[in-house]
Amino acid sequence: MTRVFSGVKPTGHLTLGNYLGAVRRWADADQHSADALFCVVDLHALTVEHDPGRVRRLSRQAATLLLASGLDPKLCTVFVQSHVDEHARLSYVLECVASDGEMRRMIQYKEKAARERTRGGSIRLSLLTYPVLMAADILAYGTDEVPVGDDQTQHVELARDLAVRFNQRYGHTFVVPRATHPVVATRVMNLQEPTSKMGKSEDAGPGIVYLLDEPDVIRKKIMRAVTDSGRDVVYDREGRPGVSNLLEILAACESGNPEGLAGVYESYGSLKKDTAEAVVELLRPVQERHRELCADPEYVEGVLRDGAEKAREMAKPRVDAAYRAIGLLPSA
């Protein structure tokens, strides 16, 4: 079977964008059609200033929400990155294959480093090198496909480049992965800033719908979404980003087409109302299942423990092979 790997970073509460852009597809398609691994990539959360307790809480919450969203441990492997040592082991080896120039050309590094400088903070070395850790996450498992949003495509390309380079220099060791993208709502945008991604790293904001928001909070945020000048409901991502974002969200909720939906509505108000109700109903079963799982923490812990053991068994032979190939002595 095709092997799929993807993950979520516990730097904030998971959002509607995370769900529509990635998690729902993992549950509805990937775990059924592939040998799939889904990971809470907690090591990536350490690349910026953080509160240790919050990282732990968000890691547990993210894992619980993945299960609440329909990931079935009988069909896929769900685990936490730091529970599998092979990620860090392979990351250093790949750093010995990557170049400084490659790291500094990463768009997300440039953006995040600029924000840190603006705040007067220091830039951690791990922020520069974390794309190599992401490559290790992927390559350790012989991954064929990585379902990602557009903003992560560059990182998958780096994983491909490192795999090819390692294979050429030291012998064939890694599968060369490819990025895959969902058809609709790859990037759900901020409701108040529709030219910006609905990111989860912000602590709060009226433009961000979190998966655990109460229904009335969801309705209020969507009804207050920024639209565009003019009154016609038109799908135009460049010229009318506000209304186009709402149409894409509604289309993703209803498995519809944003261009087709644009012709159904005569006002922004009715579009917002229907979008709000569609989101509330979409998230209702996720929230109900999340409450059930929170009442049974031993189940979640068991899933993560079993998932880490399974992931370790898959990753260790390939990482050991990479160590031998690059010239390291095998351990006793």
Side-chain angles (χ1 to χ4, degrees), residues 79-156:
F79 65 105
V80 176
Q81 179 190 33
S82 63
H83 294 176
V84 180
D85 293 343
E86 278 63 34
H87 291 254
R89 288 181 62 210
L90 182 56
S91 182
Y92 179 75
V93 167
L94 293 179
E95 283 185 15
C96 298
V97 179
S99 71
D100 176 77
E102 284 176 311
M103 297 300 97
R104 296 188 186 278
R105 287 194 295 271
M106 291 287 126
I107 295 171
Q108 289 209 3
Y109 169 72
K110 293 179 180 179
E111 293 175 348
K112 292 179 179 180
R115 286 199 293 269
E116 285 298 317
R117 292 189 189 99
T118 300
R119 289 196 290 258
S122 61
I123 300 169
R124 301 186 180 196
L125 179 61
S126 56
L127 184 62
L128 178 66
T129 61
Y130 94 89
V132 179
L133 176 58
M134 182 174 175
D137 299 338
I138 296 166
L139 298 181
Y141 298 100
T143 302
D144 299 296
E145 296 182 355
V146 187
V148 292
D150 293 338
D151 59 325
Q152 292 293 331
T153 299
Q154 188 183 35
H155 290 158
V156 180

Side-chain angles (χ1 to χ4, degrees), residues 38-100:
F38 301 108
C39 180
V40 178
V41 287
D42 54 344
L43 294 175
H44 291 293
L46 310 185
T47 60
V48 294
E49 188 67 29
H50 63 277
D51 173 66
R54 186 170 188 266
V55 170
R56 283 190 290 270
R57 290 192 300 273
L58 289 175
S59 296
R60 177 179 290 277
Q61 183 187 88
T64 305
L65 278 170
L66 291 182
L67 297 174
S69 298
L71 293 188
D72 185 346
K74 296 178 181 178
L75 299 175
C76 65
T77 305
V78 181
F79 65 105
V80 176
Q81 179 190 33
S82 63
H83 294 176
V84 180
D85 293 343
E86 278 63 34
H87 291 254
R89 288 181 62 210
L90 182 56
S91 182
Y92 179 75
V93 167
L94 293 179
E95 283 185 15
C96 298
V97 179
S99 71
D100 176 77

Side-chain angles (χ1 to χ4, degrees), residues 5-325:
F5 177 95
S6 198
V8 294
K9 184 165 60 175
T11 51
H13 302 285
L14 295 187
T15 71
L16 178 66
N18 298 127
Y19 184 74
L20 291 179
V23 176
R24 183 175 64 169
R25 177 186 174 183
W26 300 349
D28 290 351
D30 292 329
Q31 69 173 344
H32 298 283
S33 61
D35 181 8
L37 300 97
F38 301 108
C39 180
V40 178
V41 287
D42 54 344
L43 294 175
H44 291 293
L46 310 185
T47 60
V48 294
E49 188 67 29
H50 63 277
D51 173 66
R54 186 170 188 266
V55 170
R56 283 190 290 270
R57 290 192 300 273
L58 289 175
S59 296
R60 177 179 290 277
Q61 183 187 88
T64 305
L65 278 170
L66 291 182
L67 297 174
S69 298
L71 293 188
D72 185 346
K74 296 178 181 178
L75 299 175
C76 65
T77 305
V78 181
F79 65 105
V80 176
Q81 179 190 33
S82 63
H83 294 176
V84 180
D85 293 343
E86 278 63 34
H87 291 254
R89 288 181 62 210
L90 182 56
S91 182
Y92 179 75
V93 167
L94 293 179
E95 283 185 15
C96 298
V97 179
S99 71
D100 176 77
E102 284 176 311
M103 297 300 97
R104 296 188 186 278
R105 287 194 295 271
M106 291 287 126
I107 295 171
Q108 289 209 3
Y109 169 72
K110 293 179 180 179
E111 293 175 348
K112 292 179 179 180
R115 286 199 293 269
E116 285 298 317
R117 292 189 189 99
T118 300
R119 289 196 290 258
S122 61
I123 300 169
R124 301 186 180 196
L125 179 61
S126 56
L127 184 62
L128 178 66
T129 61
Y130 94 89
V132 179
L133 176 58
M134 182 174 175
D137 299 338
I138 296 166
L139 298 181
Y141 298 100
T143 302
D144 299 296
E145 296 182 355
V146 187
V148 292
D150 293 338
D151 59 325
Q152 292 293 331
T153 299
Q154 188 183 35
H155 290 158
V156 180
E157 289 301 314
L158 174 68
R160 290 174 56 84
D161 292 343
L162 294 181
V164 169
R165 192 177 307 154
F166 190 100
N167 290 345
Q168 290 174 342
R169 290 181 182 177
Y170 306 112
H172 185 79
T173 306
F174 297 115
V175 174
V176 180
R178 60 184 178 275
T180 59
H181 307 279
V183 176
V184 177
T186 302
R187 297 191 74 184
V188 177
M189 313 306 280
N190 189 297
L191 295 173
Q192 293 297 314
E193 300 176 27
T195 57
S196 300
K197 179 183 173 183
M198 186 183 283
K200 66 178 180 296
S201 297
E202 298 89 342
D203 289 334
I208 306 168
V209 175
Y210 297 104
L211 295 190
L212 296 179
D213 276 345
E214 294 291 334
D216 286 346
V217 173
I218 294 172
R219 293 186 182 99
K220 183 179 295 185
K221 288 180 177 180
I222 293 177
M223 293 304 295
R224 293 180 178 177
V226 168
T227 49
D228 311 287
S229 59
R231 296 183 177 181
D232 295 337
V233 178
V234 177
Y235 182 72
D236 178 358
R237 170 52 71 186
E238 296 299 323
R240 307 285 287 277
V243 69
S244 296
N245 188 37
L246 291 172
L247 287 167
E248 287 198 356
I249 292 171
L250 181 58
C253 289
E254 299 183 347
S255 300
N257 181 284
E259 291 93 340
L261 286 171
V264 175
Y265 292 94
E266 297 181 355
S267 70
Y268 292 158
S270 58
L271 171 61
K272 288 181 177 181
K273 183 178 179 181
D274 284 0
T275 302
E277 293 306 319
V279 171
V280 167
E281 291 307 312
L282 179 76
L283 297 185
R284 190 185 304 280
V286 176
Q287 294 180 353
E288 290 175 352
R289 179 59 177 153
H290 179 265
R291 285 191 289 269
E292 294 173 358
L293 291 171
C294 286
D296 189 7
E298 291 184 2
Y299 172 76
V300 177
E301 291 172 3
V303 168
L304 297 179
R305 183 173 56 251
D306 294 345
E309 181 178 352
K310 183 179 177 183
R312 195 177 302 115
E313 290 175 354
M314 283 189 275
K316 191 176 187 303
R318 185 168 284 99
V319 176
D320 286 347
Y323 269 50
R324 291 192 299 270

